[in-house]
Amino acid sequence: MTECVDNPAERLHALLLEFCRAGKELGPNHSNWSAWAKALSYEGSAVTSGDAEFFHRLAEAKELPGKVRQAVSLVVTDVQHREHLLEPLVGVDAGLQASTQTNHDIAHVWQHFSDGGDTTRSAAIYSLQGCAGELRRAQVEAGLTEAEGRDLTTLINELTEAVIASELEEADKQFLLARLNEMLATVQQARLRGRYSVEAATDAAMGALMRRPNLIRRMMDASLLDSVATFFTKVNALLVLVNQSEQLTQETVRAIERGVGG
């Protein structure tokens, strides 16, 4: 079983452990920024309000609870278990929000998610360990690269605009837009669920069109068919292995042509 491409819970868990460790070394009355500088591996001198790099790293840390919620929501289907895992993150949110003020000492941040920096009794840290485990157990294939994700999103958005602007009947538009929306959702989830879900949604969309030759004819009449064929050719070229790309994209075009002739 392969691990998730991204595990924000694991990253946040490790970050909070390091913040607590650094806080104990410095003492609870020091500025929380000093502890965060150590936890975030910030190598600058004493942190000031003008340290752009430090605050960039802290801002990225503040985004992690939201990423954990999104990731866990994708892989944990049981509502009660999901809520049990995510509820303690409220304290982490509050602690990270408190960290934006230099006059808040380490103890002030600790109070939101741990008792005096004691990680062994922190519900939030324990919960993040559970979240990380759930994400590790989520079986996925290799995810999309950022470039692949951007390219696929652009292709889907461009065809969506073309469908909306076309002269197709409203029912046909809604059918095509629903398929494109399903594809877009899988692209957005691919960092966790891998590229297989994108491939499955693409295959499902193509299959739905192949079973509707009358819709294909109407797309041809509305001068949309070429755009759709080009779209699937480009999407498949992004998804398949290099040595399979030419063969599959040619098959895509032939499949659409067969649909028109059916």
Side-chain angles (χ1 to χ4, degrees):
M1 180 179 292
T2 54
E3 293 187 357
C4 291
V5 177
D6 184 34
N7 195 326
E10 202 164 64
R11 288 191 283 140
L12 183 54
H13 178 262
L15 191 60
L16 294 182
L17 289 179
E18 188 61 23
F19 175 78
C20 290
R21 186 198 64 77
K24 289 181 178 180
E25 285 185 359
L26 294 166
N29 297 323
H30 277 69
S31 168
N32 78 87
W33 288 1
S34 299
W36 278 121
K38 289 179 175 291
L40 295 167
S41 301
Y42 179 69
E43 302 298 338
S45 55
V47 179
T48 67
S49 58
D51 287 323
E53 176 60 24
F54 170 76
F55 287 105
H56 173 71
R57 297 185 189 187
L58 186 58
E60 288 184 332
K62 288 176 65 178
E63 293 176 356
L64 284 175
K67 292 181 178 180
V68 172
R69 291 186 178 94
Q70 181 184 31
V72 171
S73 295
L74 291 174
V75 302
V76 180
T77 57
D78 184 272
V79 175
Q80 288 186 330
H81 181 45
R82 184 168 67 238
E83 290 178 351
H84 176 73
L85 284 171
L86 297 178
E87 185 178 3
L89 288 185
V90 173
V92 179
D93 282 321
L96 287 168
Q97 184 59 40
S99 299
T100 59
Q101 302 295 323
T102 187
N103 61 318
H104 289 163
D105 57 26
I106 293 168
H108 182 87
V109 176
W110 274 347
Q111 70 178 339
H112 294 289
F113 64 86
S114 69
D115 181 9
D118 185 353
T119 59
T120 62
R121 293 191 295 161
S122 167
I125 290 176
Y126 179 79
S127 177
L128 282 169
Q129 190 173 11
C131 290
E134 291 288 350
L135 297 182
R136 282 194 299 271
R137 284 189 290 274
Q139 186 174 4
V140 298
E141 296 181 349
L144 298 174
T145 66
E146 289 189 11
E148 288 171 336
R150 286 194 303 269
D151 291 344
L152 286 167
T153 299
T154 297
L155 288 171
I156 294 169
N157 288 339
E158 287 176 349
L159 185 57
T160 296
E161 293 176 1
V163 169
I164 293 172
S166 73
E167 297 181 357
L168 285 173
E169 295 293 332
E170 190 62 26
D172 289 341
K173 287 184 180 181
Q174 291 304 316
F175 175 81
L176 292 172
L177 292 175
R179 304 292 79 73
L180 290 169
N181 188 58
E182 290 166 358
M183 292 178 63
L184 183 60
T186 61
V187 171
Q188 293 169 343
Q189 298 171 9
R191 278 181 63 79
L192 284 164
R193 294 203 178 275
R195 62 199 303 128
Y196 172 76
S197 59
V198 184
E199 295 171 359
T202 302
D203 292 345
M206 287 180 58
L209 285 177
M210 295 307 101
R211 292 189 293 272
R212 291 167 174 79
N214 290 336
L215 172 56
I216 293 177
R217 292 191 184 93
R218 292 194 293 273
M219 288 194 298
M220 179 181 290
D221 293 340
S223 301
L224 187 64
L225 184 60
D226 286 347
S227 296
V228 172
T230 300
F231 167 78
F232 281 114
T233 297
K234 290 182 177 179
V235 168
N236 279 319
L238 280 169
L239 291 175
V240 300
L241 299 175
V242 174
N243 61 355
Q244 297 173 343
S245 177
E246 182 178 354
Q247 176 186 353
L248 185 54
T249 53
Q250 290 174 355
E251 290 175 354
T252 301
V253 175
R254 288 198 295 270
I256 292 178
E257 290 173 347
R258 286 196 301 271
V260 174

